[in-house]
Amino acid sequence: MRCVHGQSGPALPAVLAAAAVLTALTASPAEARRRAHHGGGGGYNPPYAAMVVDAKTGRVMHAVNEDALRHPASITKVMTLYLLFEQLERGKMELDTPLTVSANAARMPPSKLGVRPGSTVTVEEAIKALVTKSANDIACAIGENIAGSEAAFAEMMTRKAHSLGMSRTHYANASGLPDSDQITTARDLTILARAIQDRFPKYYRYFQTRSFAFKGRVIGNHNHLLGRVEGVDGIKTGYTRDSGFNLMTSARTDGRHIVAVVLGGKSVASRDNIMAKLVQANLPVAYAGARTAAPVVEVAERPRPAVVAERPVATRTLVASADEDDAVETTNSTGQPLDIAPRGGATPQGSPKWRAGAPGAVPASAQAYAPAATAAFPAANGKYASRLPASEPGEARAPAPLRETAAPAAKPVSVTPWVIQLGAMDDEGKAKSMLADARQRSGSALGKAAPFTERVTHGGTTLFRARFSGFSEAEAAQDACRALKRNGFTCFATRS
């Protein structure tokens, strides 16, 4: 396990040991119920990751498994609110704008506000419902009101994440309800924690909401560090059975400002105490001068594909963000970690081999190029990892940089009956870069696929489709696309 500490940050084992003692002393009744539900013994050990960043300088003060894929759970709702704040900033919505809650949104599992289908909540009520109750029904309603459907909204979320530099994040829904395609990293979440404050300081104050009065009910905030740990001013908790207990935090005092993320806590109490120790150790030694780090800003978003693939059916569970109130085991949990790598071994270098009868004619606009020289992420033992860690977290290695190689002469690509498309770019170099990145991250999932670009013109605009050929059946193309989505890409399968 690799750790990066600030000047006086405590060693993680000391933090964990202190957290274990405090957990035993401070576990709430709901936490006790959760332990009883899970049998009280070992066995519940979600993969851990954490990161602390000095928001004024961008310096990493603490990091453990910061680039390993994890499930965000209801920290997802920070991005949901980012897009809602964007609607407010652009004048497309006001705080008193009514949001209609559809029957689909009303059916969302807990945590939820429990409003009736066809009823409305204001934008401000929706913000507070997400910040305090972590309401899944309202998160879905926000997505539907902005994008027309939750699926379309999830695509917006993913594109926004990538434009912010959250390169390993992919969203499948607006709430954080369990889905194998809903993934992120601790590093990506520290980017989001900084970005939402840089972009929306006016609306970020909602994350300080301690309680929310709604139709005669007073709803408390799940974030127990507010008012308990000096300097903490937000922002979001999360829990699913597979993610463990998650927390994104911002803290500032005496001119210092840090953001921190803890993923995979074993309980509410242990997660909170680990975070409290990280804040108390790192905030006093953070930089107190004028900010030197540039604000987190968006780069140009990738154009949306003209054709959208059918999304796989999302799994449903009983709880998305339980925390202390609803910590029960989800019905669809397999107890297994997320599969993040292809089933086979490393992709051999060189030309792919083709099945007889598969190739077809190559479009005149298609251009082949050499695949990247790197493959999947090596695990600590040097072999290709097939799963997230199920118990004690091991070292998470960052993706190896692409090696620069001399571009060979273009070779024609045999286009098979089915292809997968990642996007359509305004520059061929960008399209090739996207394909090379996909090849690097996905390893043998694309082992028999050949990358190519295809030039198309729409309304006087020239675009370059980024595609992989090599699939004779729809199922094979869709499987490869799902593997790409697990690695943070948006794609769809289509007939050639």
Side-chain angles (χ1 to χ4, degrees):
M1 179 185 299
R2 184 174 68 85
C3 295
V4 179
H5 294 283
Q7 299 174 27
S8 62
L12 184 64
V15 172
L16 293 173
V21 173
L22 288 169
T23 297
L25 295 175
T26 62
S28 67
E31 172 61 16
R33 290 195 299 272
R34 189 198 69 76
R35 289 179 181 173
H37 183 82
H38 292 304
Y44 181 61
N45 199 10
Y48 178 83
M51 193 169 187
V52 181
V53 175
D54 188 323
K56 283 196 166 184
T57 66
R59 180 171 68 95
V60 176
M61 305 182 75
H62 173 92
V64 179
N65 297 327
E66 69 275 19
D67 292 311
L69 294 179
R70 299 288 185 262
H71 296 297
S74 276
I75 292 181
T76 294
K77 295 182 177 81
V78 177
M79 179 59 81
T80 301
L81 289 171
Y82 188 103
L83 294 180
L84 181 58
F85 293 165
E86 195 171 65
Q87 297 292 306
L88 292 170
E89 181 189 65
R90 293 174 176 175
K92 294 183 178 181
M93 290 184 178
E94 304 290 340
L95 288 173
D96 59 356
T97 298
L99 302 176
T100 301
V101 180
S102 69
N104 177 58
R107 283 194 298 267
M108 292 292 117
S111 294
K112 61 194 298 182
L113 204 56
V115 294
R116 295 178 180 176
S119 61
T120 62
V121 295
T122 67
V123 165
E124 187 168 33
E125 288 172 333
I127 294 170
K128 292 180 178 179
L130 263 62
V131 169
T132 59
K133 183 65 174 174
S134 200
N136 298 321
D137 49 355
I138 304 305
C140 180
I142 290 171
E144 290 177 342
N145 279 265
I146 291 176
S149 71
E150 189 178 16
F153 186 71
E155 292 178 2
M156 288 178 61
M157 295 168 72
T158 299
R159 291 197 302 275
K160 185 64 66 176
H162 293 175
S163 74
L164 289 169
M166 300 167 62
S167 61
R168 305 210 69 192
T169 295
H170 182 272
Y171 293 105
N173 59 56
S175 62
L177 279 166
D179 189 299
S180 61
D181 288 338
Q182 190 103 347
I183 55 172
T184 190
T185 67
R187 185 188 300 276
D188 280 6
L189 292 179
T190 63
I191 294 172
L192 179 58
R194 295 166 62 196
I196 198 166
Q197 298 182 64
D198 289 346
R199 174 83 180 272
F200 307 109
K202 176 181 177 181
Y203 300 117
Y204 175 75
R205 63 183 176 83
Y206 281 108
F207 288 101
Q208 301 173 15
T209 304
R210 301 283 187 88
S211 62
F212 165 47
F214 181 76
K215 298 188 182 301
R217 292 181 288 159
V218 177
I219 301 168
N221 197 320
H222 289 165
N223 189 350
H224 306 128
L225 298 193
L226 284 170
R228 172 189 159 195
V229 177
E230 182 181 0
V232 170
D233 58 21
I235 59 174
K236 191 71 187 77
T237 62
Y239 166 81
T240 67
R241 169 67 180 176
D242 292 331
S243 74
F245 292 85
N246 298 343
L247 181 59
M248 175 191 286
T249 292
S250 170
R252 66 188 83 210
T253 188
D254 298 329
R256 296 174 170 87
H257 182 201
I258 63 172
V259 295
V261 171
V262 169
L263 305 176
K266 295 182 181 180
S267 69
V268 173
S270 67
R271 174 204 65 191
D272 287 354
N273 282 290
I274 290 171
M275 180 63 82
K277 293 290 185 182
L278 290 174
V279 171
Q280 291 163 353
N282 290 285
L283 185 57
V285 297
Y287 181 64
R291 177 169 175 165
T292 61
V296 179
V297 296
E298 301 168 24
V299 297
E301 293 184 12
R302 295 174 178 173
R304 185 174 181 174
V307 182
V308 179
E310 257 186 10
R311 297 185 58 81
V313 177
T315 55
R316 291 288 182 212
T317 68
L318 296 179
V319 179
S321 178
D323 288 340
E324 296 189 10
D325 300 328
D326 307 301
V328 297
E329 186 172 1
T330 55
T331 58
N332 80 324
S333 173
T334 63
Q336 297 297 321
L338 173 64
D339 188 358
I340 62 169
R343 295 180 181 86
T347 302
Q349 300 304 316
S351 302
K353 297 179 181 179
W354 298 95
R355 289 191 295 270
V362 57
S365 56
Q367 184 74 19
Y369 68 100
T374 54
F377 302 122
N381 61 4
K383 296 183 179 180
Y384 291 92
S386 61
R387 295 185 180 277
L388 288 171
S391 53
E392 291 302 319
E395 180 178 359
R397 299 189 180 179
L402 290 175
R403 302 179 205 157
E404 294 186 5
T405 56
K411 299 177 182 179
V413 170
S414 296
V415 178
T416 47
W418 283 85
V419 298
I420 55 177
Q421 179 169 316
L422 279 69
M425 313 300 289
D426 58 359
D427 178 81
E428 187 176 19
K430 294 178 183 178
K432 290 182 176 181
S433 177
M434 181 189 299
L435 289 166
D437 192 21
R439 166 77 78 182
Q440 177 202 6
R441 294 194 192 183
S442 301
S444 62
L446 297 172
K448 293 188 177 181
F452 69 96
T453 59
E454 186 176 26
R455 180 173 176 168
V456 293
T457 302
H458 292 290
T461 300
T462 298
L463 297 173
F464 295 88
R465 291 171 174 165
R467 290 185 162 188
F468 281 98
S469 178
F471 310 98
S472 59
E473 302 291 340
E475 183 178 355
Q478 290 164 357
D479 284 346
C481 199
R482 280 190 284 270
L484 285 167
K485 288 180 178 180
R486 287 196 295 272
N487 283 280
F489 292 91
T490 300
C491 68
F492 63 92
T494 183
R495 286 189 177 275
S496 58

